[in-house]
Amino acid sequence: MHMEFLQPNRLWLLVLSAVLLFSYWRSLVHISCFAKIRIFAIRILIFATIIVAMSDPVVNYPSHEKQIVLLMDRSASITEPGRKVADDYARRVREESGSVAVHQLEFARDVRDSANASQDDSWRNETNLVEAIRYGLGLVPDGYVPELVLLSDGNETDGDVLAYAETIPKNAAVSVVPLEPGASSDVRVNRIRVPDRVRFGESFNIETEIESTTSGPITINLYRDEFRVAEENVTVKQGRNTFTFRGQTGDQKSHIYTVTVRASGDTLDVNNTLSCHVSGHGRPQILLIDGSKRRPKEFLAALESQEYDIQVRPPSGLPEDMDALAAFDAILFADVPAEQLTTKQMEQVRDYVRFAGGGFFMFGGEDSFGPGGYYKTPIEDILPVTCDFTRKRNEASVALALVIDRSGSMTGTNLELAKQAARDALALLKPSDYACVLAFDSEVYKVVPVQNIVSAGLFDEAIGSLDAGGGTNMYPAMTEATEQLRSVTAKVKHMILLTDGHSTPGDFTGAVNAMTQNGITFSTVGIGSADQALLESLSQQGRGRHYPCESATAIPRIFTDETTRATGSALREIPFQPVVVTHTDTFANIAIEASPLLLGWNATRAKATSQVILATEQGDPLLAWWRYGLGMSGVFTSDIKSRWSAEWLAWPEFSLFWSQTLRHILRSYDEQAGQVTLREYEDGIVLAVDLTDASGNFQHGEEVKTEVVTPDGGRREYKLTESSPGHYTAQIDSREPGVWIFRTSVLRETQGGSKEETLLPPVTHIVGYPRELQFGPADRDKLERLALKTGGAMTPAPNDLTRPDGHRTAIRSVSLWPFLLPLAIFLYLIELLLRRLGDFRLPLGIHKKRISMESEP
């Protein structure tokens, strides 16, 4: 037992108290010496007691009292027999604990109270023994000996418990109870080994490792992408077994090979499937998305004659995941309306170009660029041109009526998107055009009466004030909009009506006939449960289009598409001779000036940093490209079909022109610059890059980075470090199941001082199931070493846990200030009592003054 001061720096106040006490001693000159000494001694004790209390003195003494913490492993590797053993042991400990406190915690990836364990099983896919022990130690209050019991199989996926054991306090013991998987049978696919890259048509070995807890027959299936290519019935022995299959690349740039196993009595099927990625190289792989019913046969034949492999799919066939897109070197759009694509598809194409270095090209047509509805979409972000355009002053004026449902069902996102769509549509009109905005519920509201667009600010403010409420009655709104458009002079008059409900009955046919008589075309947009049949019928009568929308997110795109079509000037059908704007080596061997006439194009505007190669005679971009992120994007605003390119299809240079154009925007990797490899380690993978020059010499001091696309679509960037000459590495935590894509680039300084980024071939890693499910028997060696290092025991008897251990103690502290302050108060009261009872006199000056006051009359 010993005493210490927690605030020893406050003891200097004793010096100050000595000065105060000296002054106090001087003031006690008129009392007897004995009383003076007696009072002064008590005053010293009072000051000393207060100052010592302020210094927070504590008395420390040893204690052998324990508190038990049971750490129950609930990770996926603990099967039902193991959990039963743990629960039975915990019950016995609580029964025999007596007065010793027992805490019980469950842990896997993190620690949770047993009473509040989450029903979410994803936390069971990892095991962190370090976190469990750290949490358990923190649960034991000061002054108690920590007695931790770890009930686990010892198979950790995160942390190093033996290294952490060195930091555990000496008075804490970690005993262990090994939990075995039990007698259940399990067969799992451990790993698949394939070459990093193979050539098209080349055969290669697929080596798979299968581990089984028992011997017996199993069935192995091998899939390439979604197709089964092999099936074998084999017998496995207990432990690890290796089998080899032959694989071959198909007609795609890359494939996913999957191995599955089946066995009778298998108790866990989550770890029966594992996949790997095989990347091929050879002929360029092109994906053409064609929105028309007639394929561009001449264009396809031209590319195939130039050694391109090209797949043609409808818009619905455009992949929505990055790994599927990465199988192609370029993606082409021909007459694809944006309304037939999802927002996710467009965003993935944008990311494919920006982050994966892919190529993208859009051809012209009546469903491309502005008329295709690409204004303000992710696809427009990629393009070297904008999908809006500057209309000429002498072009026909337009009058546009926007009729928007503002009934109660439009509350929230639907109405906000409709308001944004109205703004975007009006932005495509020129100042001399006319527009009006009407809203309806059970009544009609003239949000902005028909007028010139020159007052655009008025439209924005009025549209922003729209709110929702009321029923749905389209007919009055249709007739009012017709009156608004009839009152102005414009060559093109068009009405767009948007609703999400079923209208009160009305003479809709009569309303549409009135529009037709006044030269007004009529298009409709139906959201969700709107009366789609009625809307489609009315739009057909009104010589317009109907757009059924499952999601309101498409509304802005539809409005701008409709407005562009209504103006009619986005499609220019005038024969012209292509004009060379920028000379490029891409067409050094082609006489572009001698090319045939083209019969039309889509009007667009070139972006500031794009490179316009060819233009129309009117100055609009015809062929343009630019770099977007790591990839290239290009446009040809005329088409590749007979509508505008009838004469070009017979041009002898047609095949060579398109071969060289697309080769310029294809994703390109420098396969000679370096080699990228992946190697698995305990917590993920090691990405290694070996950089060499043309002579095979290692490249030192380069800036190498990799962008990692995670299974959930997130992105991480790592900078690789040079661990040896020309060898760059990075450790990456890749434990989450799914497809991991690694895109590595080298940033080199050119002779001109600028930096040039070179892409290396991408690599893909697939995590089939959590590493937690690659369990085997309990790691008894690790558990035994943990117990030995911390002074614990292997499977201790429950009553041994509560028995005091003379070698392990905890220090308990008792603070003295709660006792000292009352003592100081008690001494002060005694001093007051002594001053009243003791022999003392007032100072002389005060005594004389009192006598003088008493003698006055």
Side-chain angles (χ1 to χ4, degrees), residues 127-131 156-164 682-683 735 771 782:
T127 301
N128 193 327
L129 301 180
V130 172
E131 185 64 22
E156 56 185 336
T157 63
D158 194 10
D160 185 346
V161 71
L162 294 180
Y164 177 71
E682 187 172 336
D683 293 327
R735 288 172 290 180
R771 194 159 57 88
K782 178 189 291 183

Side-chain angles (χ1 to χ4, degrees), residues 400-690:
L400 179 67
L402 302 178
V403 184
I404 300 172
D405 184 349
R406 54 142 298 191
S407 61
S409 58
M410 287 287 290
T411 302
T413 303
N414 286 3
L415 185 59
E416 291 305 314
L417 287 170
K419 289 155 69 171
Q420 184 58 48
R423 296 187 186 98
D424 292 346
L426 295 173
L428 294 173
L429 302 179
K430 66 179 191 281
S432 59
D433 290 331
Y434 293 90
C436 65
V437 180
L438 279 71
F440 68 91
D441 46 32
S442 301
E443 301 179 6
V444 182
Y445 304 89
K446 298 178 185 177
V447 181
V448 182
V450 66
Q451 57 190 281
N452 286 119
I453 293 297
V454 68
S455 53
L458 172 64
F459 281 87
D460 278 350
E461 184 177 351
I463 291 170
S465 66
L466 269 176
D467 57 4
T472 304
N473 192 353
M474 297 190 313
Y475 175 71
M478 293 168 63
T479 56
E480 178 59 37
T482 301
E483 288 300 313
Q484 293 279 318
L485 294 181
R486 193 169 65 85
S487 65
V488 297
T489 302
K491 187 172 182 180
V492 177
K493 298 181 179 181
H494 187 62
M495 185 189 306
I496 306 173
L497 181 144
L498 178 145
T499 181
D500 70 342
H502 288 250
S503 173
T504 300
D507 184 12
F508 299 119
T509 301
V512 175
N513 288 337
M515 295 179 199
T516 304
Q517 292 171 8
N518 287 279
I520 302 169
T521 53
F522 181 56
S523 290
T524 56
V525 182
I527 307 173
S529 60
D531 192 343
Q532 306 288 357
L534 173 64
L535 295 174
E536 184 174 10
S537 174
L538 295 178
S539 65
Q540 289 175 353
Q541 294 175 44
R543 295 174 299 172
R545 286 155 299 278
H546 172 60
Y547 300 88
C549 291
E550 291 298 326
S551 170
T553 56
I555 295 173
R557 197 162 66 229
I558 291 170
F559 270 48
T560 55
D561 179 15
E562 271 296 295
T563 305
T564 304
R565 290 177 184 274
T567 61
S569 53
L571 299 178
R572 308 284 172 86
E573 299 196 284
I574 306 170
F576 69 94
Q577 177 71 43
V579 177
V580 177
V581 177
T582 304
H583 291 277
T584 171
D585 292 339
T586 302
F587 305 119
N589 56 344
I590 300 177
I592 301 293
E593 296 84 353
S595 64
L597 294 176
L598 290 165
L599 305 180
W601 73 97
N602 290 79
T604 60
R605 290 187 297 120
K607 292 180 181 177
T609 58
S610 66
Q611 189 176 14
V612 178
I613 309 302
L614 301 177
T616 67
E617 292 174 344
Q618 288 75 16
D620 290 339
L622 174 63
L623 174 65
W625 53 52
W626 72 343
R627 179 164 291 281
Y628 183 80
L630 297 177
M632 289 286 294
S633 169
V635 297
F636 186 73
T637 57
S638 191
D639 67 5
I640 50 174
K641 300 177 183 178
S642 57
R643 176 172 177 174
W644 293 339
S645 295
E647 297 184 28
W648 266 49
L649 298 179
W651 182 32
E653 306 286 3
F654 184 76
S655 297
L656 188 59
F657 174 84
W658 281 118
S659 172
Q660 296 183 183
T661 297
L662 295 182
R663 199 169 298 278
H664 183 80
I665 63 103
L666 284 177
R667 176 175 51 195
S668 60
Y669 301 121
D670 190 346
E671 300 197 18
Q672 306 301 319
Q675 182 179 8
V676 184
T677 57
L678 296 176
R679 176 173 56 83
E680 292 188 38
Y681 79 107
E682 187 172 336
D683 293 327
I685 64 162
V686 174
L687 179 74
V689 177
D690 292 294

Side-chain angles (χ1 to χ4, degrees), residues 143 145 236 340 659 797:
V145 176
V236 294
Q340 295 185 17
S659 172

Side-chain angles (χ1 to χ4, degrees), residues 70-73 85-86 89-90 107 149-153 176-177 179:
L70 300 176
L71 303 172
M72 316 284 282
D73 190 343
V85 169
Y89 185 89
F107 74 93
V149 183
L150 180 67
L151 299 98
S152 172
D153 60 2
V176 296
V177 177
L179 302 180

